[in-house]
């Protein structure tokens, strides 16, 4: 069975990406829904490919939540745009004040389904529990790529954003950042912590999308690059990073600890790290429209998230034998190391450079 696994995984990975592209590029609500379903059917086998019990449990939880979200999405879109005599996306650009009571219910069902798929407040509790049983590869796609199509669908109905809906979505985004910070403060499992971290960053992305697509693209691009760096380090660590904080960096993990600490500071938005650039763009653009309540919620949630980033940072920094290495240790690493060691050192060094100097590159690009 395992001999066919690489081909099967590649096929479902193709479905995963293809489904998201269908949803993003479609001009009809039916094809948007079909793309979301193709993406779901492609991601489930990737999520449970090893057949372990925890992975199977995470796959079932993810399938149930996403299936419920898809049902609400289909029902809400049919109620709203069916009453408008068309399912084309052009019918989404209507005046919110012209909707009747039934259409308002359908519209809020549509918003509820998208927030459920994204794992934002108040439907965030499934994200950490699903992350617990994922591999690092599956966890990366769960926290990054799987959010892309629902975000585009959410922003495609921005024609409905009157003052009331703008406030509702903005407050939900701010509360997502807040619960992402509060929920991760008591966690000792790396995967749960990354899940709550994703909930917090999703709140920032929701608010950035309300400010404009360019703002969302800047923040999502920065978060995507930082996530790649993070999961590269965790993938190199392998099984040692499967459990809790105390399983990290036991013996001579100087390079891995340095790369991991730089990524943590970048995720927390500490200047001058790369993650600071995305939050700076959102704050500056948000100040232009004077939404101080939303920005305050986002910053407060980000400060709470920074607390557990720093807890993990100092845990790595002061771990035994993680940073204090003698010349004899380096000599033995050089003599006994293999090509994989040097490749790992190069990758982690590149990660440190990206997080330290990536913000300079962003200023020239954006």
């Amino acid at each position: 069975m395992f001999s066919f696994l690489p081909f099967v995984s590649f096929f479902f990975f193709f479905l995963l990406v293809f489904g998201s592209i269908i949803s993003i590029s479609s001009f009809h609500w039916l094809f948007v829904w079909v793309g979301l379903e193709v993406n779901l059917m492609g991601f489930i086998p990737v999520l449970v490919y090893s057949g372990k019990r925890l992975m199977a449990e995470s796959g079932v939880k993810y399938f149930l939540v996403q299936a419920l979200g898809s049902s609400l999405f289909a029902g809400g879109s049919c109620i709203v745009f069916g009453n408008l005599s068309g399912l084309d996306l052009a019918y989404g650009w209507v005046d919110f004040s012209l909707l009747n009571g039934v259409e308002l219910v359908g519209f809020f069902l549509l918003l509820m389904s998208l927030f459920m798929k994204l794992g934002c407040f108040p439907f965030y509790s499934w994200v950490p529990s699903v992350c617990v049983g994922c591999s690092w590869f599956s966890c990366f796609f769960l926290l990054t790529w799987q959010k892309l199509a629902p975000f585009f669908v959410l922003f495609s109905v921005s024609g409905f954003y009157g003052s009331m809906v703008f406030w509702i979505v903005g407050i939900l985004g701010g509360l997502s950042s807040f619960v992402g910070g509060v929920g991760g403060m008591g966690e000792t499992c790396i995967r749960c912590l990354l899940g709550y971290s994703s909930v917090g960053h999703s709140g920032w992305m929701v608010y950035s999308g309300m400010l404009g697509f360019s703002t969302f693209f800047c923040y999502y691009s920065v978060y995507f690059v930082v996530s790649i760096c993070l999961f590269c380090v965790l993938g190199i660590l392998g099984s040692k990073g499967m459990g809790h904080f105390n399983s990290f960096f036991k013996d001579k993990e100087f390079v891995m600890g340095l790369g991991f600490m730089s990524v943590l500071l970048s995720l927390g938005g500490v200047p001058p790290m790369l993650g600071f650039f995305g939050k700076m763009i959102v704050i500056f653009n948000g100040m232009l429209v004077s939404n101080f309540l939303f920005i305050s919620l986002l910053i407060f949630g980000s400060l709470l998230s920074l607390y557990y980033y720093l807890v993990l940072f100092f845990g790595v920094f002061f771990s035994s034998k993680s940073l204090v290495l003698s010349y004899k240790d380096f000599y033995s690493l050089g003599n006994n190391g293999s090509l994989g060691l040097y490749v790992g050192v190069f990758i982690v060094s590149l990660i440190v450079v990206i997080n330290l100097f990536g913000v300079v590159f962003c200023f020239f690009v954006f």
Side-chain angles (χ1 to χ4, degrees):
M1 179 181 69
F2 294 100
S3 61
F4 296 99
L5 185 59
F7 173 75
V8 174
S9 299
F10 177 79
F11 172 73
F12 286 113
F13 178 76
F14 170 77
L15 286 181
L16 182 155
V17 177
F18 184 65
S20 297
I21 295 175
I22 291 177
S23 296
I24 293 172
S25 59
S26 296
F27 291 94
H28 196 277
W29 283 102
L30 178 61
F31 290 104
V32 171
W33 178 78
V34 169
L36 292 175
E37 295 306 298
V38 171
N39 172 266
L40 174 61
M41 293 298 104
F43 183 67
I44 292 295
V46 176
L47 186 62
V48 300
Y49 71 93
S50 68
K52 295 181 179 179
R53 184 183 63 84
L54 284 178
M55 286 189 177
E57 181 180 346
S58 296
V60 172
K61 290 179 181 178
Y62 182 78
F63 174 77
L64 292 176
V65 172
Q66 296 297 315
L68 178 59
S70 298
S71 301
L72 294 176
F73 177 82
S77 59
C78 288
I79 291 173
V80 176
F81 304 109
N83 290 338
L84 296 175
S85 302
L87 290 175
D88 193 87
L89 282 179
Y91 287 93
W93 297 90
V94 297
D95 189 1
F96 182 78
S97 61
L98 299 178
L99 298 179
N100 57 35
V102 177
E103 292 170 347
L104 284 175
V105 172
F107 175 71
F108 282 108
L109 285 177
L110 183 61
L111 284 182
M112 185 186 304
S113 67
L114 293 174
F115 275 90
M116 185 178 296
K117 283 182 169 292
L118 290 169
C120 295
F121 182 87
F123 311 104
Y124 64 92
S125 59
W126 65 268
V127 179
S129 61
V130 171
C131 290
V132 170
C134 296
S135 64
W136 293 126
F137 179 79
S138 301
C139 192
F140 166 73
F141 276 92
L142 173 65
L143 302 181
T144 54
W145 180 265
Q146 291 301 101
K147 296 179 181 292
L148 186 61
F151 269 124
F152 269 82
V153 178
L154 178 64
F155 303 148
S156 67
V157 296
S158 59
F160 286 105
Y161 285 164
S163 59
M164 182 180 69
V165 180
F166 186 86
W167 274 83
I168 291 175
V169 176
I171 290 176
L172 289 179
L175 290 176
S176 297
S177 176
F178 177 75
V179 299
V182 173
M185 294 179 70
E187 289 293 337
T188 58
C189 179
I190 296 293
R191 298 171 188 276
C192 289
L193 187 144
L194 294 179
Y196 282 110
S197 173
S198 175
V199 173
H201 284 285
S202 295
W204 282 84
M205 283 184 264
V206 167
Y207 181 70
S208 66
M210 297 169 62
L211 299 176
F213 176 76
S214 59
T215 307
F216 165 76
F217 179 75
C218 290
Y219 192 91
Y220 182 83
S221 300
V222 169
Y223 177 68
F224 192 85
V225 172
V226 174
S227 298
I228 290 176
C229 298
L230 172 65
F231 284 96
C232 281
V233 175
L234 295 175
I236 293 173
L237 288 172
S239 60
K240 287 182 291 185
M242 298 296 288
H244 295 73
F245 292 167
N246 57 6
S247 64
F248 276 85
F249 316 112
K250 287 295 184 181
D251 300 312
K252 302 177 182 179
E253 297 288 355
F254 170 76
V255 178
M256 302 303 172
L258 184 62
F260 192 66
M261 288 188 295
S262 66
V263 176
L264 288 177
L265 294 178
S266 186
L267 275 176
V270 177
M273 311 301 286
L274 179 60
F276 171 72
F277 176 79
K279 294 184 178 181
M280 180 188 67
I281 293 295
V282 174
I283 292 173
F284 282 177
N285 291 340
M287 294 294 288
L288 294 178
V289 295
S290 301
N291 292 317
F292 299 106
L293 175 62
F294 305 151
I295 296 175
S296 300
L297 282 173
L298 292 172
I299 293 177
F300 185 61
S302 182
L303 290 175
L304 294 176
S305 300
L306 183 61
Y307 168 78
Y308 57 76
Y309 290 139
L310 291 178
V311 168
L312 185 55
F313 173 86
F314 287 112
V316 174
F317 187 82
F318 293 110
S319 61
S320 59
K321 296 185 179 180
S322 61
L323 295 176
V324 182
L325 293 178
S326 63
Y327 293 106
K328 185 181 297 184
D329 294 326
F330 280 107
Y331 182 75
S332 62
L333 284 174
N335 290 338
N336 300 326
S338 60
L339 179 62
L341 172 65
Y342 297 109
V343 172
V345 170
F346 172 76
I347 293 175
V348 176
S349 301
L350 183 62
I351 288 172
V352 174
V353 172
I354 290 174
N355 284 279
L356 281 176
F357 303 105
V359 64
V360 179
F361 177 75
C362 288
F363 275 113
F364 289 102
V365 173
F366 298 107

